[in-house]
Amino acid sequence: MGNLNDKRRTIMEAALRVIANKGFHGATTSKIAKLAGVAEGTIYNYFENKEDLIISLFEETWRKLTERAETRISNLEHPNDKLEAIFDEVMGLFEKNPHLIEVFLIEIKPGSLFYEKKVQSLLSFLDLIEGIIREGQSLRIYKRDLDPKATRMVIFGAAQGIIHGAFLEGAESFSLKAAKETLKRILKSGLMEEIQSGL
Amino acid sequence: MGNLNDKRRTIMEAALRVIANKGFHGATTSKIAKLAGVAEGTIYNYFENKEDLIISLFEETWRKLTERAETRISNLEHPNDKLEAIFDEVMGLFEKNPHLIEVFLIEIKPGSLFYEKKVQSLLSFLDLIEGIIREGQSLRIYKRDLDPKATRMVIFGAAQGIIHGAFLEGAESFSLKAAKETLKRILKSGLMEEIQSGL
Amino acid sequence: MGNLNDKRRTIMEAALRVIANKGFHGATTSKIAKLAGVAEGTIYNYFENKEDLIISLFEETWRKLTERAETRISNLEHPNDKLEAIFDEVMGLFEKNPHLIEVFLIEIKPGSLFYEKKVQSLLSFLDLIEGIIREGQSLRIYKRDLDPKATRMVIFGAAQGIIHGAFLEGAESFSLKAAKETLKRILKSGLMEEIQSGL
Amino acid sequence: MGNLNDKRRTIMEAALRVIANKGFHGATTSKIAKLAGVAEGTIYNYFENKEDLIISLFEETWRKLTERAETRISNLEHPNDKLEAIFDEVMGLFEKNPHLIEVFLIEIKPGSLFYEKKVQSLLSFLDLIEGIIREGQSLRIYKRDLDPKATRMVIFGAAQGIIHGAFLEGAESFSLKAAKETLKRILKSGLMEEIQSGL
DNA sequence: GATGAATGAGCTTTCATTCAT
DNA sequence: TATGAATGAAAGCTCATTCAT
């Protein structure tokens, strides 16, 4: 154990940091190798090719994010609280490392590395969200006529949207904090059953 | 007239098709030229450089989309109907050309071609949405505590999300039609003022 | 007459101005054509190719310079005065249009357009200088043991040298005026027979 | 050691030979790589870009020339002898490699690679000459009213001139040996104080 | 396993020249 | 003759991948 996986991990971490600093297309094998403190050729002892490295990184990152999210929601009761906690987890990662958005949100698209591979870890993350939606529906907290697979993409996409918004407009005209609040409100009443007043 | 713009248009259409087939980063000048049936150098008679070509394509596409959307909503009264009409217009384009999502929805990020340029046509499209939101708020149809700039990104992102969903999962497990319905419901109650019961 | 040569002349003048503004390598056929107010293809009705244009321009410019120099020295007696007048003529042209130096002084070298062609007009200009040297030698003003062909190159090269100096060092540390004076003094005593004092 | 610098040297020597054969502007990276027996990309393992290669070559060549000249003059006393020794050194190099003139004497002009960089090695070489001139002036051997910065360019340019002459005219009508003698004579009396007769 | 120099296909861009009109 | 859009070879440069050590 250890040694082999240590170097593999070192390379992946270097790749993550290079992407975080230089962006997806600025992440060359040479920069990754240098930061990892290994020779360029060494990368190919641990990964088939660059694509394999990036996909592995992607999988690992989403897997860990999902794990952290699962831990956090395990203490929570209400589906709204769970969704909010997950959302915070995701936002935290990408606020710290804006460039990761490129790889972990944006490179999820037709034609990208990740698309053909239908990367499992992202689907698992989406499954987590879907589970909460279904749970909320069972508890009659969330509207039962919402398609869960569609709903999870609406939530995921809306979150991406406000991150994009933060870049598209400046920090001056776009408050991420206010945007989070707005998103929360929209989703809350968008998802929740309307309370039958007077009953 | 015509001839000059014809060739320009031919090149732009070729670029669009190459992007559609090969993705944004697979769209080389050589492939574009070949598909357009012109020499590579000819591209540079009509565009300053590749970036100029891509941005022109981007601008043109969003501009036309915005125009069509404006025409469609001019007959409509209720903000919900307007948003739905716009949404249909966008979905129509990207269902036909899935790869365009890369360029027209996604390449809007720090470091990308479009980010520095803050391409005006996309902002105009978003302005259209924002206008409808503000209008709905004035009419006390939409919640007044929603930040319009955030809201427009939530809508935009949610729409992207369900398009992504359609690709991430197969057609068999993801019904775009059902997804649209779900999105509509979420946004409807998400955006609209809750009716004061007892009145 | 006229029309044919007019257009030819127009193109050459445009070429001269483009070189003067943009330098030798910035002088593209497209810029020349635009400034001349003709189509790019038209250049090829008057010149075999770009090389032919440039060489023609070179020849013409040196021919005219030689003519002007001949006119000026026709009134002068002493070889020193003649050389100085020629020198002033050359310096005047290149001080006004520094970029011309590239073509008319510097592109005279092995491997250049002009080298293989052994451009006649420059040789005529050098012949003019040589004639003055020979004349000075006949009159026992100049040293008779100087090889005239070598001497003409020494003069020509020395003049180039101080022009280079003006570029190599800044205007602040290199006074072209002082340099001319120095060159004059060196050549004067360098060329002239030493007067046998006391005899 | 060695191996790394060997390849660097191989590439520089190839560049030198390509320039010698094809001239400065005919020296493409592809030709250089082919002659060096390396892939084009290999050049960029040793030099930042083509400009860096050419400037390195230039610097190296002038530096070595200056070194050799310094060694040779260290044994000499009279400024005339020193200048002559330097001159011989320069002539030796360029007689062997005529095309180098382009790069090492002539590409020193506004707009050229070397101009902006004010390549230090050439200035050092010129400083060497200037030092001898100043020394000669201190010793009252050379005229004190000559501007040393101008004088060094006159000498430099005159030497260039006779090299040019050797190419412009054929070997049959231009004797480089005679030209050297002529240059020596002109400079000798041109630079030296006139002896005060009667003393 | 680890190295990193070497590779070379492929990229965007330029521009002298051609030729159908 | 005049046009100028079209051409395409060739340029400098990048970088994922290989392989001899």
Side-chain angles (χ1 to χ4, degrees), chain C residues 19-73:
Chain C
I19 290 170
N21 285 327
K22 311 276 182 180
F24 182 62
H25 287 102
T28 61
T29 50
S30 123
K31 283 178 195 149
I32 292 167
K34 187 168 290 170
L35 190 64
V38 301
E40 238 176 307
T42 303
I43 291 173
Y44 293 84
N45 289 332
Y46 295 92
F47 301 92
E48 262 185 42
N49 49 34
K50 194 190 173 188
E51 178 173 330
D52 180 32
L53 163 58
I54 299 293
I55 288 184
S56 301
L57 183 57
F58 180 96
E59 289 279 335
E60 175 95 347
T61 302
W62 274 110
R63 200 183 47 69
K64 273 160 53 180
L65 195 65
T66 305
E67 262 178 28
R68 275 204 306 278
E70 279 170 337
T71 306
R72 257 184 81 165
I73 67 173

Short mmCIF file of all heavy atoms in Angstrom, two decimals, chain C residues 19-73:
data_model
loop_
_atom_site.label_atom_id
_atom_site.label_comp_id
_atom_site.label_asym_id
_atom_site.label_seq_id
_atom_site.Cartn_x
_atom_site.Cartn_y
_atom_site.Cartn_z
N ILE C 19 7.51 51.78 -46.79
CA ILE C 19 8.77 51.38 -46.17
C ILE C 19 9.21 52.43 -45.16
O ILE C 19 9.65 52.11 -44.06
CB ILE C 19 9.86 51.17 -47.24
CG1 ILE C 19 9.54 49.93 -48.07
CG2 ILE C 19 11.23 51.04 -46.60
CD1 ILE C 19 10.40 49.77 -49.30
N ALA C 20 9.07 53.70 -45.54
CA ALA C 20 9.48 54.77 -44.64
C ALA C 20 8.69 54.73 -43.34
O ALA C 20 9.23 55.02 -42.27
CB ALA C 20 9.28 56.13 -45.33
N ASN C 21 7.43 54.34 -43.43
CA ASN C 21 6.59 54.32 -42.23
C ASN C 21 6.67 53.01 -41.45
O ASN C 21 6.69 53.03 -40.21
CB ASN C 21 5.12 54.56 -42.61
CG ASN C 21 4.86 55.99 -42.95
OD1 ASN C 21 5.48 56.89 -42.37
ND2 ASN C 21 3.97 56.23 -43.89
N LYS C 22 6.68 51.92 -42.17
CA LYS C 22 6.51 50.63 -41.51
C LYS C 22 7.78 49.78 -41.51
O LYS C 22 7.80 48.69 -40.95
CB LYS C 22 5.41 49.82 -42.22
CG LYS C 22 4.12 50.58 -42.47
CD LYS C 22 3.22 50.55 -41.25
CE LYS C 22 1.90 51.28 -41.54
NZ LYS C 22 1.03 51.27 -40.37
N GLY C 23 8.79 50.26 -42.21
CA GLY C 23 10.01 49.45 -42.29
C GLY C 23 9.91 48.43 -43.42
O GLY C 23 8.84 48.20 -43.98
N PHE C 24 11.04 47.86 -43.71
CA PHE C 24 11.14 46.96 -44.85
C PHE C 24 10.22 45.75 -44.71
O PHE C 24 9.48 45.41 -45.63
CB PHE C 24 12.60 46.49 -44.99
CG PHE C 24 12.84 45.60 -46.16
CD1 PHE C 24 12.63 46.06 -47.45
CD2 PHE C 24 13.29 44.31 -45.99
CE1 PHE C 24 12.86 45.25 -48.54
CE2 PHE C 24 13.52 43.49 -47.08
CZ PHE C 24 13.31 43.96 -48.36
N HIS C 25 10.23 45.13 -43.55
CA HIS C 25 9.42 43.91 -43.41
C HIS C 25 7.95 44.20 -43.14
O HIS C 25 7.12 43.32 -43.25
CB HIS C 25 10.03 42.99 -42.35
CG HIS C 25 11.26 42.34 -42.86
ND1 HIS C 25 12.52 42.76 -42.51
CD2 HIS C 25 11.43 41.35 -43.77
CE1 HIS C 25 13.41 42.04 -43.16
NE2 HIS C 25 12.78 41.18 -43.93
N GLY C 26 7.66 45.43 -42.80
CA GLY C 26 6.26 45.81 -42.65
C GLY C 26 5.65 46.26 -43.97
O GLY C 26 4.46 46.57 -44.02
N ALA C 27 6.45 46.26 -45.01
CA ALA C 27 5.95 46.74 -46.30
C ALA C 27 5.36 45.59 -47.09
O ALA C 27 6.04 44.95 -47.89
CB ALA C 27 7.09 47.42 -47.07
N THR C 28 4.09 45.34 -46.87
CA THR C 28 3.41 44.26 -47.60
C THR C 28 2.81 44.81 -48.89
O THR C 28 2.53 46.01 -48.99
CB THR C 28 2.30 43.65 -46.75
OG1 THR C 28 1.33 44.66 -46.46
CG2 THR C 28 2.85 43.10 -45.44
N THR C 29 2.59 43.91 -49.81
CA THR C 29 1.97 44.34 -51.07
C THR C 29 0.60 44.94 -50.82
O THR C 29 0.19 45.87 -51.51
CB THR C 29 1.82 43.14 -52.04
OG1 THR C 29 1.19 42.07 -51.35
CG2 THR C 29 3.16 42.70 -52.58
N SER C 30 -0.07 44.43 -49.81
CA SER C 30 -1.42 44.94 -49.54
C SER C 30 -1.37 46.40 -49.07
O SER C 30 -2.16 47.24 -49.51
CB SER C 30 -2.12 44.02 -48.53
OG SER C 30 -2.54 44.72 -47.40
N LYS C 31 -0.42 46.71 -48.20
CA LYS C 31 -0.32 48.10 -47.75
C LYS C 31 0.12 49.03 -48.87
O LYS C 31 -0.36 50.15 -48.97
CB LYS C 31 0.70 48.19 -46.59
CG LYS C 31 0.16 47.69 -45.25
CD LYS C 31 1.23 47.76 -44.17
CE LYS C 31 0.84 46.94 -42.94
NZ LYS C 31 2.04 46.39 -42.24
N ILE C 32 1.03 48.53 -49.69
CA ILE C 32 1.50 49.35 -50.80
C ILE C 32 0.35 49.64 -51.75
O ILE C 32 0.13 50.78 -52.17
CB ILE C 32 2.65 48.63 -51.54
CG1 ILE C 32 3.89 48.56 -50.62
CG2 ILE C 32 2.99 49.34 -52.84
CD1 ILE C 32 4.97 47.61 -51.11
N ALA C 33 -0.41 48.59 -52.08
CA ALA C 33 -1.53 48.77 -53.01
C ALA C 33 -2.54 49.75 -52.45
O ALA C 33 -3.02 50.65 -53.14
CB ALA C 33 -2.19 47.41 -53.28
N LYS C 34 -2.85 49.60 -51.17
CA LYS C 34 -3.84 50.47 -50.54
C LYS C 34 -3.39 51.93 -50.63
O LYS C 34 -4.14 52.81 -51.03
CB LYS C 34 -4.07 50.05 -49.08
CG LYS C 34 -5.21 50.81 -48.42
CD LYS C 34 -5.60 50.18 -47.09
CE LYS C 34 -6.28 48.82 -47.30
NZ LYS C 34 -6.47 48.07 -46.03
N LEU C 35 -2.13 52.17 -50.26
CA LEU C 35 -1.64 53.55 -50.28
C LEU C 35 -1.56 54.09 -51.70
O LEU C 35 -1.79 55.28 -51.93
CB LEU C 35 -0.25 53.62 -49.62
CG LEU C 35 0.26 55.03 -49.36
CD1 LEU C 35 -0.64 55.75 -48.37
CD2 LEU C 35 1.68 55.00 -48.83
N ALA C 36 -1.27 53.21 -52.64
CA ALA C 36 -1.18 53.65 -54.03
C ALA C 36 -2.57 53.85 -54.64
O ALA C 36 -2.71 54.44 -55.71
CB ALA C 36 -0.40 52.63 -54.85
N GLY C 37 -3.56 53.36 -53.96
CA GLY C 37 -4.92 53.48 -54.48
C GLY C 37 -5.20 52.56 -55.65
O GLY C 37 -6.02 52.86 -56.52
N VAL C 38 -4.49 51.45 -55.67
CA VAL C 38 -4.75 50.46 -56.73
C VAL C 38 -5.03 49.11 -56.08
O VAL C 38 -4.85 48.94 -54.87
CB VAL C 38 -3.54 50.30 -57.67
CG1 VAL C 38 -3.19 51.62 -58.33
CG2 VAL C 38 -2.34 49.73 -56.91
N ALA C 39 -5.49 48.18 -56.88
CA ALA C 39 -5.71 46.84 -56.37
C ALA C 39 -4.37 46.11 -56.26
O ALA C 39 -3.41 46.46 -56.96
CB ALA C 39 -6.64 46.07 -57.29
N GLU C 40 -4.34 45.15 -55.39
CA GLU C 40 -3.10 44.42 -55.18
C GLU C 40 -2.62 43.78 -56.49
O GLU C 40 -1.43 43.79 -56.80
CB GLU C 40 -3.33 43.33 -54.13
CG GLU C 40 -2.40 43.45 -52.94
CD GLU C 40 -2.73 42.42 -51.88
OE1 GLU C 40 -3.92 42.37 -51.47
OE2 GLU C 40 -1.81 41.69 -51.46
N GLY C 41 -3.56 43.27 -57.25
CA GLY C 41 -3.20 42.60 -58.48
C GLY C 41 -2.54 43.54 -59.48
O GLY C 41 -1.74 43.12 -60.33
N THR C 42 -2.90 44.80 -59.39
CA THR C 42 -2.38 45.78 -60.35
C THR C 42 -0.86 45.91 -60.26
O THR C 42 -0.18 46.15 -61.27
CB THR C 42 -3.04 47.14 -60.09
OG1 THR C 42 -4.45 46.99 -60.19
CG2 THR C 42 -2.58 48.18 -61.10
N ILE C 43 -0.36 45.74 -59.06
CA ILE C 43 1.10 45.80 -58.90
C ILE C 43 1.77 44.86 -59.88
O ILE C 43 2.80 45.18 -60.48
CB ILE C 43 1.49 45.41 -57.45
CG1 ILE C 43 1.03 46.50 -56.49
CG2 ILE C 43 2.99 45.19 -57.34
CD1 ILE C 43 1.22 46.13 -55.02
N TYR C 44 1.15 43.71 -60.10
CA TYR C 44 1.76 42.69 -60.94
C TYR C 44 1.60 42.96 -62.42
O TYR C 44 2.10 42.22 -63.25
CB TYR C 44 1.22 41.31 -60.55
CG TYR C 44 1.67 40.93 -59.16
CD1 TYR C 44 0.99 41.37 -58.03
CD2 TYR C 44 2.84 40.20 -58.98
CE1 TYR C 44 1.43 41.07 -56.76
CE2 TYR C 44 3.28 39.90 -57.71
CZ TYR C 44 2.58 40.33 -56.61
OH TYR C 44 3.02 40.04 -55.35
N ASN C 45 0.87 44.00 -62.74
CA ASN C 45 0.87 44.44 -64.14
C ASN C 45 2.08 45.31 -64.44
O ASN C 45 2.45 45.48 -65.61
CB ASN C 45 -0.41 45.22 -64.45
CG ASN C 45 -1.61 44.31 -64.49
OD1 ASN C 45 -1.49 43.13 -64.79
ND2 ASN C 45 -2.78 44.85 -64.17
N TYR C 46 2.67 45.87 -63.39
CA TYR C 46 3.79 46.80 -63.59
C TYR C 46 5.12 46.26 -63.11
O TYR C 46 6.16 46.78 -63.48
CB TYR C 46 3.47 48.13 -62.92
CG TYR C 46 2.30 48.81 -63.55
CD1 TYR C 46 1.01 48.61 -63.08
CD2 TYR C 46 2.48 49.58 -64.69
CE1 TYR C 46 -0.07 49.20 -63.70
CE2 TYR C 46 1.40 50.18 -65.33
CZ TYR C 46 0.13 49.98 -64.82
OH TYR C 46 -0.93 50.56 -65.45
N PHE C 47 5.04 45.24 -62.27
CA PHE C 47 6.28 44.64 -61.78
C PHE C 47 6.13 43.13 -61.79
O PHE C 47 5.03 42.61 -61.57
CB PHE C 47 6.56 45.12 -60.35
CG PHE C 47 6.70 46.61 -60.24
CD1 PHE C 47 5.59 47.40 -59.95
CD2 PHE C 47 7.92 47.23 -60.47
CE1 PHE C 47 5.71 48.77 -59.88
CE2 PHE C 47 8.04 48.61 -60.39
CZ PHE C 47 6.93 49.39 -60.09
N GLU C 48 7.21 42.47 -62.08
CA GLU C 48 7.16 41.01 -62.14
C GLU C 48 6.70 40.41 -60.82
O GLU C 48 5.90 39.49 -60.77
CB GLU C 48 8.54 40.46 -62.49
CG GLU C 48 8.73 40.14 -63.95
CD GLU C 48 10.08 39.48 -64.18
OE1 GLU C 48 10.47 38.62 -63.36
OE2 GLU C 48 10.76 39.86 -65.16
N ASN C 49 7.26 40.93 -59.79
CA ASN C 49 6.90 40.46 -58.45
C ASN C 49 7.37 41.51 -57.45
O ASN C 49 7.86 42.57 -57.83
CB ASN C 49 7.53 39.09 -58.16
CG ASN C 49 9.01 39.09 -58.50
OD1 ASN C 49 9.69 40.10 -58.32
ND2 ASN C 49 9.51 37.97 -58.99
N LYS C 50 7.21 41.21 -56.19
CA LYS C 50 7.54 42.20 -55.18
C LYS C 50 9.03 42.55 -55.22
O LYS C 50 9.42 43.72 -55.07
CB LYS C 50 7.18 41.67 -53.80
CG LYS C 50 7.18 42.73 -52.73
CD LYS C 50 7.06 42.13 -51.34
CE LYS C 50 7.21 43.18 -50.26
NZ LYS C 50 7.30 42.58 -48.92
N GLU C 51 9.84 41.55 -55.44
CA GLU C 51 11.28 41.79 -55.51
C GLU C 51 11.62 42.78 -56.61
O GLU C 51 12.43 43.69 -56.41
CB GLU C 51 12.00 40.45 -55.76
CG GLU C 51 13.50 40.61 -55.89
CD GLU C 51 14.21 39.26 -55.97
OE1 GLU C 51 13.70 38.28 -55.39
OE2 GLU C 51 15.26 39.19 -56.61
N ASP C 52 10.96 42.60 -57.72
CA ASP C 52 11.20 43.50 -58.84
C ASP C 52 10.81 44.93 -58.45
O ASP C 52 11.53 45.89 -58.77
CB ASP C 52 10.38 43.02 -60.05
CG ASP C 52 10.57 43.91 -61.27
OD1 ASP C 52 11.68 44.45 -61.44
OD2 ASP C 52 9.61 44.06 -62.05
N LEU C 53 9.71 45.07 -57.75
CA LEU C 53 9.29 46.40 -57.30
C LEU C 53 10.33 47.02 -56.38
O LEU C 53 10.74 48.18 -56.56
CB LEU C 53 7.94 46.29 -56.58
CG LEU C 53 7.52 47.47 -55.69
CD1 LEU C 53 7.45 48.77 -56.50
CD2 LEU C 53 6.16 47.21 -55.04
N ILE C 54 10.76 46.25 -55.42
CA ILE C 54 11.70 46.79 -54.44
C ILE C 54 13.02 47.16 -55.10
O ILE C 54 13.60 48.23 -54.85
CB ILE C 54 11.94 45.77 -53.32
CG1 ILE C 54 10.64 45.45 -52.58
CG2 ILE C 54 12.98 46.29 -52.33
CD1 ILE C 54 10.06 46.58 -51.79
N ILE C 55 13.48 46.30 -55.98
CA ILE C 55 14.74 46.60 -56.65
C ILE C 55 14.60 47.83 -57.53
O ILE C 55 15.48 48.70 -57.56
CB ILE C 55 15.22 45.38 -57.47
CG1 ILE C 55 15.70 44.30 -56.50
CG2 ILE C 55 16.34 45.77 -58.43
CD1 ILE C 55 16.29 43.09 -57.17
N SER C 56 13.48 47.93 -58.21
CA SER C 56 13.25 49.11 -59.04
C SER C 56 13.28 50.37 -58.19
O SER C 56 13.85 51.40 -58.58
CB SER C 56 11.90 49.00 -59.75
OG SER C 56 11.84 47.85 -60.55
N LEU C 57 12.65 50.27 -57.05
CA LEU C 57 12.59 51.41 -56.14
C LEU C 57 13.99 51.78 -55.67
O LEU C 57 14.36 52.96 -55.61
CB LEU C 57 11.73 51.01 -54.94
CG LEU C 57 11.47 52.06 -53.88
CD1 LEU C 57 10.82 53.28 -54.49
CD2 LEU C 57 10.57 51.47 -52.80
N PHE C 58 14.73 50.76 -55.33
CA PHE C 58 16.11 50.94 -54.89
C PHE C 58 16.92 51.65 -55.97
O PHE C 58 17.58 52.65 -55.73
CB PHE C 58 16.69 49.56 -54.58
CG PHE C 58 18.10 49.57 -54.11
CD1 PHE C 58 18.39 49.54 -52.75
CD2 PHE C 58 19.15 49.61 -55.02
CE1 PHE C 58 19.71 49.54 -52.32
CE2 PHE C 58 20.47 49.60 -54.58
CZ PHE C 58 20.75 49.57 -53.22
N GLU C 59 16.80 51.12 -57.17
CA GLU C 59 17.56 51.69 -58.28
C GLU C 59 17.18 53.15 -58.49
O GLU C 59 18.04 54.02 -58.64
CB GLU C 59 17.28 50.89 -59.56
CG GLU C 59 17.88 49.50 -59.57
CD GLU C 59 19.36 49.53 -59.93
OE1 GLU C 59 19.80 50.48 -60.61
OE2 GLU C 59 20.09 48.62 -59.51
N GLU C 60 15.90 53.38 -58.53
CA GLU C 60 15.38 54.73 -58.77
C GLU C 60 15.88 55.70 -57.70
O GLU C 60 16.31 56.81 -58.00
CB GLU C 60 13.85 54.68 -58.76
CG GLU C 60 13.16 56.00 -58.88
CD GLU C 60 12.79 56.31 -60.31
OE1 GLU C 60 13.28 55.59 -61.21
OE2 GLU C 60 12.02 57.26 -60.52
N THR C 61 15.78 55.26 -56.45
CA THR C 61 16.16 56.16 -55.36
C THR C 61 17.64 56.51 -55.42
O THR C 61 18.02 57.67 -55.28
CB THR C 61 15.81 55.50 -54.02
OG1 THR C 61 14.43 55.20 -54.00
CG2 THR C 61 16.14 56.44 -52.87
N TRP C 62 18.46 55.50 -55.62
CA TRP C 62 19.89 55.78 -55.70
C TRP C 62 20.24 56.61 -56.93
O TRP C 62 21.12 57.47 -56.89
CB TRP C 62 20.71 54.49 -55.69
CG TRP C 62 20.99 54.02 -54.30
CD1 TRP C 62 20.47 52.93 -53.68
CD2 TRP C 62 21.85 54.65 -53.34
NE1 TRP C 62 20.93 52.85 -52.40
CE2 TRP C 62 21.79 53.89 -52.16
CE3 TRP C 62 22.64 55.80 -53.35
CZ2 TRP C 62 22.49 54.22 -51.01
CZ3 TRP C 62 23.34 56.14 -52.21
CH2 TRP C 62 23.27 55.35 -51.04
N ARG C 63 19.50 56.35 -58.01
CA ARG C 63 19.76 57.10 -59.24
C ARG C 63 19.46 58.58 -59.02
O ARG C 63 20.26 59.46 -59.37
CB ARG C 63 18.89 56.54 -60.37
CG ARG C 63 19.38 56.89 -61.78
CD ARG C 63 18.43 56.37 -62.86
NE ARG C 63 17.02 56.67 -62.58
CZ ARG C 63 16.49 57.90 -62.59
NH1 ARG C 63 17.24 58.94 -62.88
NH2 ARG C 63 15.21 58.07 -62.31
N LYS C 64 18.33 58.82 -58.37
CA LYS C 64 17.95 60.22 -58.13
C LYS C 64 18.92 60.88 -57.15
O LYS C 64 19.28 62.06 -57.30
CB LYS C 64 16.52 60.29 -57.61
CG LYS C 64 15.51 60.34 -58.75
CD LYS C 64 14.09 59.93 -58.39
CE LYS C 64 13.49 60.63 -57.22
NZ LYS C 64 12.09 60.13 -56.99
N LEU C 65 19.33 60.11 -56.16
CA LEU C 65 20.28 60.64 -55.19
C LEU C 65 21.59 61.00 -55.89
O LEU C 65 22.19 62.06 -55.64
CB LEU C 65 20.54 59.59 -54.10
CG LEU C 65 21.23 60.08 -52.83
CD1 LEU C 65 20.34 61.07 -52.10
CD2 LEU C 65 21.54 58.91 -51.92
N THR C 66 22.02 60.12 -56.76
CA THR C 66 23.25 60.37 -57.50
C THR C 66 23.11 61.63 -58.36
O THR C 66 24.01 62.48 -58.41
CB THR C 66 23.58 59.16 -58.39
OG1 THR C 66 23.64 57.99 -57.58
CG2 THR C 66 24.93 59.35 -59.10
N GLU C 67 21.96 61.73 -59.01
CA GLU C 67 21.71 62.92 -59.84
C GLU C 67 21.80 64.21 -59.03
O GLU C 67 22.45 65.17 -59.42
CB GLU C 67 20.30 62.85 -60.44
CG GLU C 67 20.27 62.33 -61.86
CD GLU C 67 18.83 62.26 -62.35
OE1 GLU C 67 17.97 63.05 -61.87
OE2 GLU C 67 18.55 61.40 -63.20
N ARG C 68 21.11 64.20 -57.91
CA ARG C 68 21.13 65.41 -57.07
C ARG C 68 22.55 65.72 -56.60
O ARG C 68 22.96 66.87 -56.58
CB ARG C 68 20.23 65.21 -55.84
CG ARG C 68 18.76 65.54 -56.10
CD ARG C 68 18.04 65.90 -54.81
NE ARG C 68 18.18 64.88 -53.79
CZ ARG C 68 17.44 63.77 -53.73
NH1 ARG C 68 16.50 63.55 -54.61
NH2 ARG C 68 17.66 62.89 -52.78
N ALA C 69 23.28 64.66 -56.24
CA ALA C 69 24.65 64.86 -55.79
C ALA C 69 25.50 65.45 -56.92
O ALA C 69 26.27 66.40 -56.71
CB ALA C 69 25.23 63.53 -55.31
N GLU C 70 25.29 64.92 -58.11
CA GLU C 70 26.07 65.43 -59.26
C GLU C 70 25.79 66.90 -59.48
O GLU C 70 26.71 67.69 -59.76
CB GLU C 70 25.75 64.63 -60.52
CG GLU C 70 26.53 63.31 -60.56
CD GLU C 70 26.06 62.38 -61.67
OE1 GLU C 70 24.89 62.53 -62.12
OE2 GLU C 70 26.82 61.48 -62.06
N THR C 71 24.54 67.26 -59.40
CA THR C 71 24.19 68.67 -59.57
C THR C 71 24.89 69.54 -58.54
O THR C 71 25.47 70.57 -58.86
CB THR C 71 22.66 68.84 -59.43
OG1 THR C 71 22.02 67.95 -60.33
CG2 THR C 71 22.25 70.28 -59.73
N ARG C 72 24.81 69.08 -57.30
CA ARG C 72 25.38 69.90 -56.23
C ARG C 72 26.89 70.08 -56.36
O ARG C 72 27.41 71.16 -56.08
CB ARG C 72 25.08 69.25 -54.87
CG ARG C 72 23.95 69.96 -54.15
CD ARG C 72 23.71 69.41 -52.78
NE ARG C 72 24.62 69.92 -51.78
CZ ARG C 72 24.42 69.79 -50.47
NH1 ARG C 72 23.32 69.19 -50.03
NH2 ARG C 72 25.30 70.27 -49.61
N ILE C 73 27.58 69.02 -56.75
CA ILE C 73 29.04 69.13 -56.77
C ILE C 73 29.55 69.82 -58.03
O ILE C 73 30.72 70.18 -58.12
CB ILE C 73 29.73 67.75 -56.65
CG1 ILE C 73 29.46 66.90 -57.88
CG2 ILE C 73 29.30 67.05 -55.37
CD1 ILE C 73 30.26 65.60 -57.86
#
